């Protein structure tokens, strides 16, 4: 059921780092993005895949993890992602990605969840550093980075209260809580 898959598809930021993800698995996930919608069917997205520890170690320090958890510096060694998919705009195809990368990211993360994996979109990326470290040619622009791995954290949905605050938090058991606005608050007509 798509509803169940979407409910389970929470952003995950702590993983069993020792569980590797195969390159072929990343290719299967990108194939879901390939088959997704694209404005004017321009398909300007390209992808850089990483699932080896050496490349992963170059990408990890350039990403922001859960900026709202101000006292958490991000996943420690042993809990870091096993793989990354970097979503790129090929500027020789189009100067704008529209919202294609959001659609692609969601397709990939839903596919990952179906395979028992989890992950997170990262808009907080030191783009220049990643481009340089991985030798990505300048015709490409980094739009989003997806981190992936076997989840090691529990995430639960909450309902945003009357104060309207939607900040996520982590409790003393390490459970990550994500408030969502009520349905009646978001349908305005
Ligand atoms: C476009 C976009 C960029 C995001 N960038 C980051 C990021 O840089 N770091 C991070 O930890 N989470 C990032 N997130 C994840 C959000 O924090 C997360 O979606 C939100 O807290 C709600 O949690 P949920 O995905 O479990 O519903 C991003 C999400 C989106 C859609």
């Amino acid at each position: 059921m798509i509803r169940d898959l979407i409910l389970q598809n929470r952003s995950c930021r702590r993983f069993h780092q020792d569980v590797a993800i195969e390159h072929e698995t990343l290719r299967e996930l990108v194939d879901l993005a390939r088959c997704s919608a694209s404005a004017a069917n321009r398909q300007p997205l390209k992808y850089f895949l990483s699932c080896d520890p050496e490349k992963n170690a170059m990408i990890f320090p350039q990403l922001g993890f859960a900026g709202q958890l101000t006292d958490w510096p991000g996943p420690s060694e042993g809990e870091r992602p096993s793989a990354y998919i970097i979503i790129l705009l090929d500027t020789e195809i189009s100067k704008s990605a529209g919202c294609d990368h959001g659609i692609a990211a969601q397709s990939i993360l839903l596919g990952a969840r179906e395979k028992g994996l989890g992950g997170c979109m990262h808009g907080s990326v030191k783009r220049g550093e990643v481009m340089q470290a991985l030798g990505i040619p300048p015709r490409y622009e980094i739009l989003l980075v997806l981190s992936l791995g076997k989840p090691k954290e529990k995430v639960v949905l909450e309902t945003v209260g009357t104060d309207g605050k939607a900040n996520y938090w982590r409790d003393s058991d390490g459970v990550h809580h994500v408030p969502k606005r009520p349905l009646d608050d978001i349908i305005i007509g």
Side-chain angles (χ1 to χ4, degrees), residues 10-11 13 64-66 120-124 168 178 180:
R10 305 274 53 88
S11 294
R13 303 176 181 90
F65 284 81
C120 187
M121 300 181 203
H122 297 265
S124 169
Y168 51 77
V178 180
K180 297 291 183 188

Side-chain angles (χ1 to χ4, degrees), residues 7 15 27 58 80 101 144 150 175 186:
L7 288 176
F15 304 94
R27 285 178 56 87
M58 291 185 212
R80 292 179 180 164
H101 48 305
L144 276 175
K150 183 174 177 226
V175 176
I186 64 171

Side-chain angles (χ1 to χ4, degrees), residues 86-164:
I86 302 177
I87 305 181
L88 303 159
L89 173 66
D90 185 341
T91 61
E92 292 188 6
I93 296 179
S94 176
K95 298 295 172 213
S96 165
C99 60
D100 283 17
H101 48 305
I103 296 167
Q106 181 76 345
S107 294
I108 289 170
L109 289 174
L110 288 173
R113 179 54 63 170
E114 193 186 50
K115 290 176 184 292
L117 301 171
C120 187
M121 300 181 203
H122 297 265
S124 169
V125 181
K126 289 183 194 148
R127 288 169 167 73
E129 282 85 338
V130 174
M131 297 280 289
Q132 194 178 16
L134 301 176
I136 297 174
R139 71 184 266 190
Y140 302 108
E141 260 174 38
I142 296 176
L143 298 170
L144 276 175
V145 177
L146 308 182
S147 55
L148 294 162
K150 183 174 177 226
K152 197 186 175 183
E153 71 177 357
K154 186 173 173 193
V155 183
V156 292
L157 286 188
E158 307 287 351
T159 303
V160 169
T162 47
D163 63 6

Side-chain angles (χ1 to χ4, degrees), residues 66-77:
Q68 288 174 16
L69 303 180
T70 48
D71 57 352
W72 187 60
S76 47
E77 185 62 40

